[in-house]
Amino acid sequence: MDESRRLWVLSGTVVVIVLVVLGGYLAFRGSPEHNVSVRSVPNDLTLTLDGKQVAANGVLKIKEGEHTLTGERRGFQSYTETINVRGDTDVKMFLFSNGDVGREWEKNHPDQVLETEAEQGRRYQERTDRLTQNYPILQELPYVGPGFTVNYGASKADPTNPEKLAFYIKITFPDGKKASMDWLIGHGYEPSDLEIIYTK
């Protein structure tokens, strides 16, 4: 009986040691790293990754997971982006001028300005696609109906979020509100899912 007990204790001790060593190895090793290729415009901006300055252009070794990239430069609007690294990827950090210093820099770097304009167009298209996906009603607006018009604008409930929209319904006749509800429901939209603001 004592021999059997000793074997169990020994086996348990070995298992605990193996688990501690394996856990220590995994904790020490941390998350796997991936190559993140960064292209910045202006090419001399200051780029930080999770608050620590890194090279603005080139390949960064970044651990898997969520990270914050911030680009800053005098004369340009700062930009912060959250990236979720799951494998090798490309990131573009393009800033847009907001002052005389930035505009002077643009005059001297027309090739980078062209890149920035292309990136601005890409970001605009991506945002438009996301909004259309989230708000299919956008494809039908502006709409003029019997006694009402429907358009869209900034959300009043979440004014700092450019991805949130409100739908402004202008009532032009007494039955316009009912007609607008009938139009929304008839086209497959649930009014309670939309931020609706009535105007006269």
Side-chain angles (χ1 to χ4, degrees):
M1 195 72 167
D2 288 341
E3 188 64 32
S4 174
R5 224 180 259 152
R6 257 190 239 119
L7 272 171
W8 278 107
V9 170
L10 185 61
S11 299
T13 305
V14 169
V15 168
V16 168
I17 291 170
V18 168
L19 289 174
V20 168
V21 169
L22 183 61
Y25 167 74
L26 291 173
F28 179 75
R29 188 189 65 157
S31 302
E33 288 187 331
H34 299 288
N35 292 324
V36 176
S37 181
V38 180
R39 170 74 178 128
S40 295
V41 175
N43 59 6
D44 60 350
L45 60 77
T46 299
L47 185 67
T48 58
L49 171 69
D50 299 329
K52 295 180 182 176
Q53 189 170 341
V54 294
N57 292 281
V59 178
L60 304 175
K61 293 276 190 189
I62 301 179
K63 285 190 175 183
E64 194 169 282
E66 200 170 86
H67 299 275
T68 302
L69 276 176
T70 300
E72 296 176 304
R73 189 189 190 281
R74 187 168 164 257
F76 290 80
Q77 183 178 352
S78 298
Y79 182 72
T80 297
E81 180 178 0
T82 299
I83 59 172
N84 202 345
V85 178
R86 290 283 174 262
D88 293 354
T89 188
D90 296 331
V91 173
K92 292 181 179 177
M93 178 58 70
F94 286 9
L95 305 184
F96 302 99
S97 66
N98 65 354
D100 293 339
V101 172
R103 285 188 280 278
E104 184 62 32
W105 183 92
E106 288 177 335
K107 283 181 192 172
N108 298 321
H109 300 85
D111 55 329
Q112 291 189 52
V113 171
L114 287 175
E115 262 190 274
T116 304
E117 288 172 353
E119 178 65 10
Q120 195 169 23
R122 186 188 68 78
R123 286 184 189 176
Y124 175 80
Q125 188 58 52
E126 280 185 355
R127 180 175 178 268
T128 301
D129 292 344
R130 282 195 308 272
L131 287 172
T132 303
Q133 185 176 2
N134 293 333
Y135 300 103
I137 190 175
L138 290 175
Q139 298 173 73
E140 301 192 54
L141 301 183
Y143 181 82
V144 179
F148 70 95
T149 60
V150 185
N151 215 329
Y152 67 95
S155 166
K156 288 192 175 179
D158 194 358
T160 60
N161 186 348
E163 303 279 325
K164 293 291 183 184
L165 299 178
F167 296 88
Y168 293 79
I169 300 178
K170 184 175 183 181
I171 306 302
T172 53
F173 289 106
D175 289 338
K177 187 171 183 179
K178 181 184 181 310
S180 69
M181 287 296 104
D182 292 343
W183 178 80
L184 286 169
I185 294 167
H187 283 76
Y189 307 118
E190 176 53 55
S192 62
D193 292 341
L194 304 172
E195 181 183 344
I196 296 175
I197 297 170
Y198 290 100
T199 64
K200 290 184 178 180

